[in-house]
């Protein structure tokens, strides 16, 4: 079924016999892919494209940016006003970060719905979570670079979290800052790390892709590929589908960049950083809001004070995902065949959206109550609900193979 | 799914309510630069520049804008030079002494105060912020700014804080749209403000001046806006064609797959 690679010109064979680079690419092209992948499977390529866009725009921005507390804000304005197409670079990079998270969150929810984290794809899932953690660190440090009010206060609030750690907390915070306050050394190291981490992400993405190429893609039915009839070569089938879908993704992306570039940003970040004026509401970018809500939701728990509990809960909410392949030990992957899990999944989606709104509101009154309930639900979902469902649910009968149900619907049509 | 959207919407309204500070919602004006095809109105920008230089510039800087940028609002280079020449900047002369020279096209707009401390000291301890980015630095920037400039008045008779009647101190002014209602800026635009407007244009009423200076400051905050939107339309058209072509190819390639 795999298309035979076209005969290669001599120079390609010359290279290939020394370093099989073109041969591997041909392997990539012929990679047998389940033929029933739906549109949710295209978000991985959106993420990959966005990563490239972020690298390219970021490197050019770095040519014009000045990492110094006295000049950072002005250098950004210079990029916006005087650098050729600087406004384009910056708006693409800023909105690109948001698009990246949007796409990756959908990609993760896709994984949660279709059980993509289950055997034999646990490593794919793990690399994904590590990518997510690196993305968060990168985005956080990138947000500090313009040195606006939100940049500065976000840096202050988040680095301060580490001071909650008993005994060594204060020391760690001073070490992170490179001094006794968020200041020039902090900005400098954030810039350095913000430049470094995306390349770490590239490496992780290679591992991520390598690890699902080794075992093959999952698919919406959640059953294994049984015969070559179930698959299509990646090229041209999925390359054209992905390129078409990337076009649609870029339309959405471009709509933000060109017509609402500051829609997702916070106006306060157009005010230069001022350590003496605290903004009325310190809020992170929207993609951190659910975690920010969890951070601020926790009360004192036994001997752990509220701040430390919040930090533990926030990091725990992500680290928990590493255990998911074992918390959910149901053999059935796709939620389409798991009626109870499917309900739990949608409740969890709602829970995350609720947490997002809680993160945007001040942690008082009804909002604090809601964020506590939503945080509790988040952990209840993974630690109790999912394991119980996995062990008690009666899944619906699975189709025999990928080609079977598809052939049937086609015959009916 | 539907449940999720409904819950989301309900929460959105709730959280919007939770966020409203103690300030009135700004008036909603229509601006020439609104929307996908929005452009700046050059005549309006020039009137706004006049309002800024005659009124606001005595307290507020505009340091992200250079005098050379004024050709973008439609001034000739010599007109822009004339605007610059009204101010002076420091320069190190050949003998090493600091001396004054007239500002030029290459210079940033000269700020009225040498530093924030001086600015605050001259204004009841509230430094007037630089206005270069003010329209982007406020929620709903243009509408807010216009409302602020036209929102002065006497405080309501039953004005209270924490149950106690509240009064204005010296140097304080009541403004409906300013968060907390008490602002240190005295009404900058009043019936007595005299800004020279072109004969063939609108009269310099308070509303008109407020609108014009707001438009000017919107330009100052985002001079690349027109370029951005123009490029955006081309990019969107290109992407639409791209998507169309690849949709056809995609369908062709997949037509025999069942
Ligand atoms: C830089 C960010 C990322 C890139 C570029 C990326 C890219 C991809 C690509 C191209 C695929 C194959 C197509 C697809 O299934 O959508 C994929 C699959 C997958 N990704 Fe990611 N991904 C990223 C982040 C993540 C994260 C953060 C997670 C989860 C925490 C994750 C979990 C998965 C899983 C479980 C699969 C296998 C799904 C399957 O084929 O059944 N990915 N990724």
């Amino acid at each position: 079924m795999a298309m035979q690679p076209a005969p290669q010109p001599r120079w390609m064979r010359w290279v290939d016999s020394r370093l099989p680079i073109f041969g591997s690419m041909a392997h990539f092209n012929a990679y047998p892919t389940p033929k029933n992948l739906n549109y949710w499977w295209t978000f991985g390529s959106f993420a990959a494209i966005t990563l490239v866009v972020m690298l390219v725009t970021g490197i050019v921005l770095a040519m014009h940016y000045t990492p110094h507390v006295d000049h950072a804000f002005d250098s950004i304005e210079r990029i916006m006003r005087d650098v050729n197409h600087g406004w384009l670079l910056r708006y693409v990079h800023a909105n690109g970060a948001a698009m990246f998270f949007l796409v990756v969150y959908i990609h993760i929810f896709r994984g949660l719905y279709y059980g993509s984290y289950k055997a034999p794809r646990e490593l794919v899932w793990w690399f994904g979570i590590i990518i997510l953690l690196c993305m968060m660190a990168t985005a956080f440090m990138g947000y500090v670079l313009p040195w606006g009010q939100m940049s500065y206060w976000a840096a202050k609030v988040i680095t301060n979290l580490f001071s909650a750690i008993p005994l060594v907390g204060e020391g760690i915070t001073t070490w992170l800052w490179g001094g006794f306050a968020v200041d020039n050394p902090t900005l400098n190291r954030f810039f350095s790390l913000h430049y470094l981490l995306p390349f770490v992400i590239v490496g992780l993405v290679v591992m991520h892709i390598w690890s699902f190429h080794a075992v093959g893609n999952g698919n919406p039915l959640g059953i294994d590929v049984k015969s070559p009839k179930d698959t299509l070569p990646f090229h041209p089938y999925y390359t054209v589908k992905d390129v078409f879908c990337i076009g649609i993704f870029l339309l959405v992306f471009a709509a933000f960049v060109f017509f609402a570039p500051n829609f997702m940003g916070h106006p306060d970040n157009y005010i230069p950083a001022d350590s003496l004026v605290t903004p009325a509401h310190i809020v992170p970018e929207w993609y951190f809001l659910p975690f920010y809500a969890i951070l601020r939701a926790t009360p004192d728990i036994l001997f752990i004070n509220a701040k430390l509990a919040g930090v533990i809960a926030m990091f725990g909410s992500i680290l928990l995902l590493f255990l998911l392949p074992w918390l959910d030990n149901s053999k059935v992957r796709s939620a389409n065949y798991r009626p109870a899990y499917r309900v739990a999944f949608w409740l969890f989606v709602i829970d995350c959206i609720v947490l997002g709104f809680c993160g945007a509101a001040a942690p008082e009154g009804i909002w604090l109550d809601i964020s506590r309930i939503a945080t509790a639900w988040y952990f209840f979902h993974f630690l109790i609900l999912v394991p119980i469902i996995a062990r008690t649910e009666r899944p619906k009968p699975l189709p025999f193979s990928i080609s079977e149900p598809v052939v049937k619907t086609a015959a009916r049509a | 799914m539907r449940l999720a959207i409904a819950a989301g919407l309900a929460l959105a309204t709730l959280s919007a309510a939770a966020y409203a500070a103690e300030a009135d919602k700004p008036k909603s004006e229509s601006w020439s630069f609104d929307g996908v095809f929005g452009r700046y109105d050059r005549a309006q920008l020039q009137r706004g520049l006049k309002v800024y230089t005659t009124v606001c510039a005595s307290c507020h800087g505009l340091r992200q804008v250079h005098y050379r940028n004024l050709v973008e609002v439609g001034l000739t280079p010599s007109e822009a030079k004339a605007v610059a020449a009204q101010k002076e900047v420091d320069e190190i002369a050949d003998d090493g002494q600091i001396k004054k020279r007239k500002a030029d096209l290459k210079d940033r707009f000269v700020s009225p105060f040498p530093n924030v401390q001086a600015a605050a000291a001259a204004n009841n301890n509230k430094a007037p912020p630089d206005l270069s980015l003010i329209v982007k630095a406020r929620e709903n920037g243009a509408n807010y700014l216009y409302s602020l400039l036209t929102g002065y008045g006497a405080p309501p008779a039953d004005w209270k804080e924490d149950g106690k009647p509240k009064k204005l101190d010296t140097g304080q002014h009541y403004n409906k749209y300013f968060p907390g209602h008490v602002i240190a800026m005295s009404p900058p635009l009043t019936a007595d403000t005299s800004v020279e407007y072109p004969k063939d244009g609108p009269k310099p009423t308070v509303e008109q001046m407020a609108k014009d200076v707001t438009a000017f400051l919107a330009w100052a905050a985002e001079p690349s806006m027109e370029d951005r939107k123009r490029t955006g339309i081309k990019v969107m058209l290109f992407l639409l064609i791209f998507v169309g072509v690849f949709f056809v190819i995609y369908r062709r390639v997949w037509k025999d797959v069942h």
Side-chain angles (χ1 to χ4, degrees):
Chain A
M1 50 108 252
M3 295 197 304
Q4 280 308 308
Q8 293 174 336
R10 254 203 9 205
W11 68 272
M12 278 193 180
R13 268 179 285 150
W14 188 90
V15 174
D16 249 12
S17 58
R18 286 153 183 85
L19 180 70
I21 191 161
F22 299 106
S24 327
M25 268 161 59
H27 161 82
F28 212 91
N29 286 345
Y31 169 69
T33 314
K35 64 187 198 181
N36 61 333
L37 298 188
N38 58 25
Y39 287 111
W40 299 113
W41 259 260
T42 56
F43 281 77
S45 1
F46 299 173
I49 281 286
T50 314
L51 180 60
V52 174
V53 168
M54 296 303 280
L55 284 167
V56 173
T57 51
I59 289 170
V60 184
L61 284 169
M63 296 176 189
H64 300 281
Y65 169 77
T66 312
H68 188 285
V69 290
D70 293 338
H71 304 290
F73 189 88
D74 285 354
S75 74
I76 297 285
E77 276 310 308
R78 207 185 113 73
I79 291 171
M80 294 295 289
R81 290 156 195 267
D82 291 342
V83 172
N84 290 336
H85 288 93
W87 57 267
L88 180 60
L89 289 170
R90 182 183 177 226
Y91 280 155
V92 167
H93 199 76
N95 286 282
M99 297 311 284
F100 204 178
F101 277 94
L102 179 68
V103 161
V104 163
Y105 283 154
I106 294 176
H107 188 67
I108 295 174
F109 278 114
R110 184 285 315 263
L112 292 176
Y113 186 89
Y114 291 110
S116 309
Y117 47 84
K118 293 184 185 183
R121 296 184 188 82
E122 297 95 327
L123 286 185
V124 185
W125 180 249
W126 279 9
F127 280 118
I129 301 163
I130 303 172
I131 291 172
L132 177 64
L133 288 169
C134 287
M135 280 173 63
M136 291 177 144
T138 311
F140 160 65
M141 288 188 279
Y143 192 59
V144 174
L145 300 183
W147 211 242
Q149 270 291 66
M150 277 299 158
S151 299
Y152 175 85
W153 288 94
K156 188 155 168 149
V157 169
I158 300 301
T159 50
N160 245 321
L161 294 179
F162 291 89
S163 69
I165 303 169
L167 304 177
V168 291
E170 295 292 334
I172 291 182
T173 320
T174 312
W175 177 71
L176 285 175
W177 286 341
F180 296 101
V182 174
D183 209 332
N184 203 46
T186 327
L187 179 59
N188 267 289
R189 62 192 56 193
F190 277 21
F191 180 48
S192 169
L193 294 174
H194 183 71
Y195 208 134
L196 170 68
L197 278 181
F199 294 93
V200 174
I201 296 179
V202 171
L204 289 164
V205 169
V206 170
M207 300 305 289
H208 185 70
I209 293 179
W210 187 4
S211 53
F212 74 71
H213 265 238
V215 297
N217 275 97
N219 68 77
L221 297 177
I223 55 177
D224 291 329
V225 166
K226 297 243 164 52
S227 74
K229 271 205 306 201
D230 291 350
T231 65
L232 295 167
F234 189 78
H235 181 74
Y237 291 94
Y238 282 101
T239 38
V240 287
K241 185 180 179 185
D242 280 356
V243 170
F244 160 64
C245 292
I246 285 171
I248 294 177
F249 166 64
L250 291 181
L251 272 172
V252 177
F253 191 169
F256 277 108
V257 168
F258 292 104
F259 303 112
N262 293 306
F263 179 76
M264 290 186 275
H266 197 292
D268 275 28
N269 227 25
Y270 282 108
I271 305 171
D274 186 344
S275 57
L276 302 175
V277 181
T278 320
H281 302 273
I282 303 179
V283 281
E285 298 275 88
W286 66 263
Y287 41 81
F288 288 137
L289 289 175
F291 301 103
Y292 196 52
I294 292 178
L295 172 72
R296 299 184 304 173
T298 51
D300 292 325
I301 300 171
L302 302 176
F303 53 89
I304 305 175
N305 69 30
K307 188 172 170 191
L308 182 57
V311 174
I312 296 174
M314 182 176 73
F315 285 111
S317 67
I318 298 174
L319 298 181
L320 199 55
L321 295 174
F322 280 109
L323 302 179
L324 189 56
W326 294 275
L327 293 170
D328 175 8
N329 68 349
S330 165
K331 288 282 170 289
V332 179
R333 295 192 189 101
S334 171
N336 284 349
Y337 300 98
R338 303 183 58 194
Y341 177 78
R342 188 153 84 181
V343 174
F345 170 84
W346 285 113
L347 287 176
F348 179 70
V349 173
I350 295 174
D351 189 54
C352 290
I353 297 172
V354 170
L355 278 171
F357 283 101
C358 293
E364 341 165 303
I366 177 143
W367 282 106
L368 185 58
D369 297 332
I370 298 177
S371 58
R372 287 192 169 151
I373 297 168
T375 302
W377 186 269
Y378 186 101
F379 288 96
F380 172 75
H381 173 84
F382 283 119
L383 292 175
I384 298 175
L385 200 53
V386 164
I388 290 181
I389 290 176
R391 286 157 181 84
T392 57
E393 178 181 50
R394 279 183 77 229
K396 293 200 224 159
L398 292 172
F400 171 72
S401 76
I402 293 175
S403 35
E404 193 186 63
V406 180
V407 170
K408 266 190 194 148
T409 26
R412 235 184 288 132
Chain B
M1 187 65 211
R2 234 176 298 136
L3 198 59
I5 294 172
L9 285 178
L11 278 160
T13 8
L14 256 175
S15 68
Y19 242 9
E22 347 71 275
D24 291 19
K25 200 173 164 306
K27 305 175 203 173
S28 197
E29 291 294 304
S30 77
W31 301 96
S32 71
F33 46 83
D34 283 342
V36 169
F37 299 102
R39 295 279 180 273
Y40 294 119
D41 170 352
R42 291 291 177 289
Q44 181 173 41
L45 296 189
Q46 289 174 30
R47 295 195 299 270
L49 167 67
K50 274 235 173 71
V51 179
Y52 169 77
T53 45
T54 357
V55 185
C56 325
S58 56
C59 298
H60 294 280
L62 196 67
R63 58 183 297 278
Q64 303 294 354
V65 183
H66 290 73
Y67 292 107
R68 63 179 150 82
N69 298 129
L70 290 179
V71 294
E72 295 161 37
V73 309
L75 264 53
T76 63
S78 56
E79 284 168 338
K81 230 176 155 74
V83 175
Q86 294 166 2
K87 299 279 179 178
E88 288 187 322
V89 291
D90 286 342
E91 190 178 60
I92 300 177
D94 290 344
D95 59 1
Q97 300 300 310
I98 293 176
K99 72 167 207 293
K100 297 267 182 211
R101 68 160 167 80
K102 281 194 175 142
D104 200 356
L105 293 181
K106 64 172 186 271
D107 295 308
R108 291 170 179 271
F109 264 63
V110 177
S111 299
F113 300 101
N115 49 54
V116 199
Q117 287 83 346
N123 287 283
N124 265 311
N125 281 324
K126 290 273 190 188
D130 187 274
L131 294 183
S132 318
L133 284 161
I134 201 80
V135 171
K136 279 160 85 176
R138 295 289 180 275
E139 203 69 63
N140 193 3
N143 285 324
Y144 167 74
L145 182 50
Y146 173 76
S147 307
L148 182 81
L149 293 173
T150 55
Y152 284 90
D158 57 346
W159 196 26
K160 287 207 179 82
E161 193 179 68
D162 302 331
K164 276 176 272 163
K166 199 171 160 183
K167 280 218 305 282
L168 289 170
D169 285 336
T170 42
Q172 292 191 334
H173 307 271
Y174 185 85
N175 191 307
K176 274 201 288 200
Y177 302 101
F178 190 69
H181 295 316
V182 179
I183 187 168
M185 168 167 70
S186 51
L189 301 172
T190 62
D192 300 333
T193 312
S194 96
V195 178
E196 206 188 306
Y197 263 38
K199 296 273 177 306
D200 51 355
K203 297 262 159 320
T205 59
V206 171
E207 282 74 26
Q208 188 63 43
M209 289 189 290
K211 253 203 123 164
D212 294 345
V213 78
T214 300
F216 171 71
L217 291 173
W219 166 82
E222 184 91 350
S224 56
M225 187 273 294
E226 294 184 340
D227 197 6
R228 162 161 65 75
K229 288 181 179 169
R230 225 179 291 127
T231 315
I233 290 165
K234 287 185 210 147
V235 170
M236 298 303 272
L237 286 176
F238 168 79
L239 285 174
L240 280 172
I241 296 170
F242 179 92
V243 164
V245 169
F246 272 91
F247 180 69
V248 172
I249 299 177
Y250 163 46
R251 276 310 165 97
R252 285 261 172 109
V253 169
W254 279 74
K255 74 176 184 302
D256 294 328
V257 178
H258 298 293

